[in-house]
């Protein structure tokens, strides 16, 4: 029997799963889908009995692919209001290329001062700590499901799968629950006015939600007292000491169409672009003094992904147009340095300067406050986050922490365990209290 403290301070007795599932069902389960009905109900019961796990389930069950975050936003707003939070919403316009007017909202919330501290104030508090994560996910939506991996029997081993279960609804749920638990715990001595929650849209696609917040009056009015911002992304329950930078370039080739039997009458855009793509593709592997991308002890090599290529219309036509999109993950340097290196590499194989290069605004590696925090292992990560999209004053600490692994986050097998979520709940409480 295990005991679990829930948000309202009531002790709920918990049976381990091996006590819940009949012995006949305890052999390794190879196919989660084949989980017997009764056993599956028991897994559902484990989730329903926990405020954290059921909050996480509710948020994950609502599809919220980037730019389509209205439904999940409404759910989070109503959950927060039901817990006596004051909620400020920010309408974030759809990106132009979407040709859509569908509303979507950033959510900024704090414990209602009149209900939590008995003060009736109109002014929005200036918190010391903000907990932030994103409510959009990558496509496609994958339904929420529960399973027990082979040879596992413990409650903590229950695997929760589906889109967003890790990235980033795990953090949304854990951040909300950590704050609710601390508010309900008199020993925590948390001043309700010291903490706010920020949930943004659009992180996976363009970072427009966080940029919108960063440029808003709401941010200007409330950021005067910040000590720390706790950003939630999957870090395997470790504190990130930094993440790699990012750069993007689109390469375009314009040739001349012709019959493939008479290629000398045209100019192949595919043939024009290929040497450039090959050159860019190798930039992470050649030494820096030979024109390669920056390396560093902390992040290792910069890497290159030629992620999208498009060119030509048919096998028997000399292609008139070709383009490719390349993403770099930077272990050093910055956007300008990347631009210089990549341009040089392309012009070496395109001395006439026929190829068009369009660089998007990127950034170099982002240093974070992860070192020297007792009780946390550290990690560096290779993915980008919303952190550079929020302009914070010097001295404000920035932490990046969350349950689950980025290695599954955008995949078909996105998922984490009950244990991962509950460990991160404790981790967030510790970090929050220490940041005050
Ligand atoms: C919200 O505040 C009211 C008092 O204004 C209280 O009765 C209620 O229990 C509170 N709800 C939660 C979930 O804290
Ligand atoms: C944008 O959407 C409107 C209405 O949904 C449609 O009539 C219009 O053709 C679209 N424009 C583009 C450029 O796709
Ligand atoms: Zn994320």
């Amino acid at each position: 029997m295990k005991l679990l403290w829930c948000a309202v301070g009531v002790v709920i007795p918990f049976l381990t799963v091996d006590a819940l599932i009949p012995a006949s069902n305890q052999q390794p389960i190879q196919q989660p889908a084949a989980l017997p009905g009764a056993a599956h109900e028991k897994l559902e019961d484990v989730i329903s009995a926990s405020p954290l796990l059921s909050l996480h389930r509710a948020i994950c069950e609502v599809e919220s692919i980037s730019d389509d975050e209205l439904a999940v936003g409404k759910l989070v707003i109503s959950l927060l209001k039901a817990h006596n939070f004051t909620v400020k919403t920010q309408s974030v316009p759809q990106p132009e290329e979407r040709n859509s007017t569908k509303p979507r909202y950033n959510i900024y919330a704090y414990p209602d001062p009149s209900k939590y501290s008995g003060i009736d104030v109109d002014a929005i508090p200036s918190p010391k700590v903000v907990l932030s994560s994103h409510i959009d996910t990558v496509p496609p939506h994958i339904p929420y499901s529960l399973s027990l991996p082979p040879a596992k029997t413990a409650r903590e081993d229950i695997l929760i799968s589906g889109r967003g279960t890790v990235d980033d609804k795990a953090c949304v749920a854990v951040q909300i629950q950590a704050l609710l638990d601390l508010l309900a715990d008199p020993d925590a001595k948390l001043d309700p006015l010291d903490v706010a929650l920020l949930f943004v849209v659009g992180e996976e696609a363009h970072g427009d939600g966080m940029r919108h917040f960063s440029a808003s009056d709401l941010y200007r009015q409330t950021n005067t007292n910040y000590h720390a911002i706790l950003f939630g992304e999957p870090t395997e329950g470790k504190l990130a000491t930094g993440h790699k930078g990012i750069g993007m370039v689109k390469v375009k080739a314009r040739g001349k169409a012709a019959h493939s039997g008479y290629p000398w009458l045209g100019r192949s855009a595919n043939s024009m672009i290929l040497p450039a793509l090959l050159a860019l593709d190798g930039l992470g592997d050649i030494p820096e003094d030979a024109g390669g991308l920056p390396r560093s002890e902390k992040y290792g090599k910069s890497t290159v992904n030629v992620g999208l290529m498009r060119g030509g219309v048919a096998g028997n036509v000399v292609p008139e147009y070709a383009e490719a999109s390349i993403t770099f993950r930077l272990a050093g340097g910055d956007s300008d340095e990347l631009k210089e290196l990549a341009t040089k590499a392309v012009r070496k194989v395109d001395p006439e300067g026929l190829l068009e290069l369009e660089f998007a605004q990127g950034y170099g590696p982002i240093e974070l406050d992860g070192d020297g925090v007792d009780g946390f292992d550290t990690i560096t990560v290779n993915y980008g986050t919303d952190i550079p999209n929020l302009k914070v004053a010097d001295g404000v600490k920035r932490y990046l922490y969350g349950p689950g692994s980025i290695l599954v986050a955008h995949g078909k097998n996105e998922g984490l365990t009950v244990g991962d979520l509950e460990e991160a709940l404790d981790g967030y409480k510790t970090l929050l209290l220490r940041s005050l």
Side-chain angles (χ1 to χ4, degrees):
M1 189 119 121
K2 297 188 181 179
L3 296 178
L4 180 98
W5 287 93
C6 83
V8 283
V10 176
V11 184
I12 299 177
F14 251 106
L15 299 172
T16 53
V17 167
D18 40 78
L20 291 169
I21 297 180
S24 59
N25 291 339
Q26 284 191 3
Q27 57 273 59
I29 296 161
Q30 299 299 344
Q31 283 296 329
L35 205 58
H40 189 263
E41 266 169 40
K42 298 298 180 193
L43 297 186
E44 287 286 349
D45 290 347
V46 170
I47 305 301
S48 301
S50 152
L52 168 66
L53 302 176
S54 46
L55 173 63
H56 177 250
R57 176 175 60 191
I59 301 171
C60 292
E61 277 175 347
V62 180
E63 179 173 335
S64 62
I65 295 164
S66 304
D67 306 335
D68 206 355
E69 303 99 337
L70 181 61
V72 81
K74 282 184 172 166
L75 173 71
V76 171
I77 291 166
S78 70
L79 288 167
L80 291 168
K81 285 188 171 163
H83 282 286
N84 287 333
F85 275 58
T86 304
V87 179
K88 304 280 176 196
T89 56
Q90 292 187 319
S91 172
V92 182
Q94 288 280 348
E96 222 162 90
E97 68 271 17
R98 286 271 302 184
N99 191 26
S100 156
T101 53
K102 201 161 185 192
R104 51 209 282 264
Y105 297 105
N106 282 344
I107 299 165
Y108 181 87
Y110 49 93
D112 179 343
S114 69
K115 302 218 168 99
Y116 275 98
S117 50
I119 320 168
D120 233 336
V121 284
D122 282 339
I124 305 174
S126 298
K128 292 181 180 161
V129 178
V130 175
L131 309 179
S132 180
S133 41
H134 61 90
I135 55 174
D136 64 315
T137 71
V138 296
H141 181 66
I142 302 171
Y144 178 97
S145 69
L146 300 171
S147 60
L148 257 185
K152 299 284 183 157
T153 53
R155 178 182 174 282
E156 304 80 68
D157 293 327
I158 296 174
L159 182 65
I160 306 175
S161 306
R163 181 62 75 228
T165 50
V166 175
D167 189 2
D168 200 20
K169 292 169 175 178
C171 292
V172 176
V174 166
Q175 290 178 342
I176 294 174
Q177 194 61 48
L179 182 50
L180 290 175
D181 286 1
L182 291 177
L183 287 168
D185 174 4
D187 292 338
K189 297 193 172 52
L190 180 70
D191 183 339
L193 303 184
D194 279 348
V195 189
L197 299 167
L198 171 66
F199 301 121
V200 299
V201 297
E203 192 274 342
E204 295 288 4
H206 354 258
D208 53 344
M210 186 61 92
R211 278 201 301 276
H212 185 92
F213 176 73
S214 189
S216 69
D217 286 339
L218 177 61
Y219 181 53
R220 260 190 299 281
Q221 286 159 12
T222 56
N223 74 7
T224 49
N225 207 14
Y226 279 8
H227 292 197
I229 308 178
L230 279 51
F231 293 91
E233 289 282 3
T235 63
E236 301 168 14
K238 298 171 186 160
L239 261 184
T241 57
H243 69 70
K244 273 185 166 175
I246 192 168
M248 285 150 291
V249 65
K250 199 177 238 189
V251 185
K252 295 179 177 175
R254 294 179 202 280
K256 184 166 177 257
H259 190 288
S260 62
Y262 306 85
W264 55 86
L265 297 179
R267 175 162 209 165
S268 165
N270 285 350
S271 302
M272 289 165 69
I273 205 172
L274 284 173
L277 299 186
L278 206 57
L280 292 174
D281 204 26
L283 274 188
D285 294 321
I286 61 179
E288 284 181 82
D289 55 15
L293 296 174
R295 300 174 182 205
S296 61
E297 200 159 309
K298 187 164 174 179
Y299 301 100
K301 282 183 185 176
S302 298
T303 59
V304 184
N305 182 47
V306 180
L308 177 74
M309 295 161 54
R310 240 194 306 251
V313 290
N316 60 356
V317 179
V318 174
E320 182 173 37
Y321 179 73
E323 64 172 41
S325 297
I326 297 106
T327 298
F328 305 87
R329 302 290 176 168
L330 300 175
D334 58 21
S335 210
D336 291 340
E337 190 177 341
L338 168 71
K339 188 173 174 180
E340 202 181 310
L341 289 168
T343 305
K344 220 179 244 174
V346 170
R347 293 311 175 212
K348 220 178 200 173
V349 296
D350 169 42
E352 292 171 80
L354 297 175
L355 298 173
E356 295 164 33
L357 301 177
E358 277 174 21
F359 288 89
Q361 184 59 44
Y363 52 82
I366 302 290
E367 301 305 316
L368 300 168
D369 297 282
D371 278 322
V373 183
D374 272 357
F376 290 89
D377 290 336
T378 59
I379 189 175
T380 58
V381 295
N382 295 349
Y383 55 80
T385 68
D386 257 341
I387 297 174
N389 292 327
L390 185 65
K391 304 292 166 224
V392 296
D394 287 345
V396 176
K397 296 224 186 284
R398 299 184 298 179
Y399 296 104
L400 177 63
Y401 174 78
S405 166
I406 195 67
L407 302 181
V408 297
H410 291 189
K412 274 187 189 164
N413 56 340
E414 178 165 356
L416 44 42
T417 65
V418 164
D420 293 335
L421 277 171
E422 291 179 344
E423 191 190 308
L425 180 65
D426 287 339
Y428 260 105
K429 289 182 200 174
T430 304
L431 270 179
L432 201 169
L433 291 176
R434 281 206 208 147
S435 300
L436 287 167

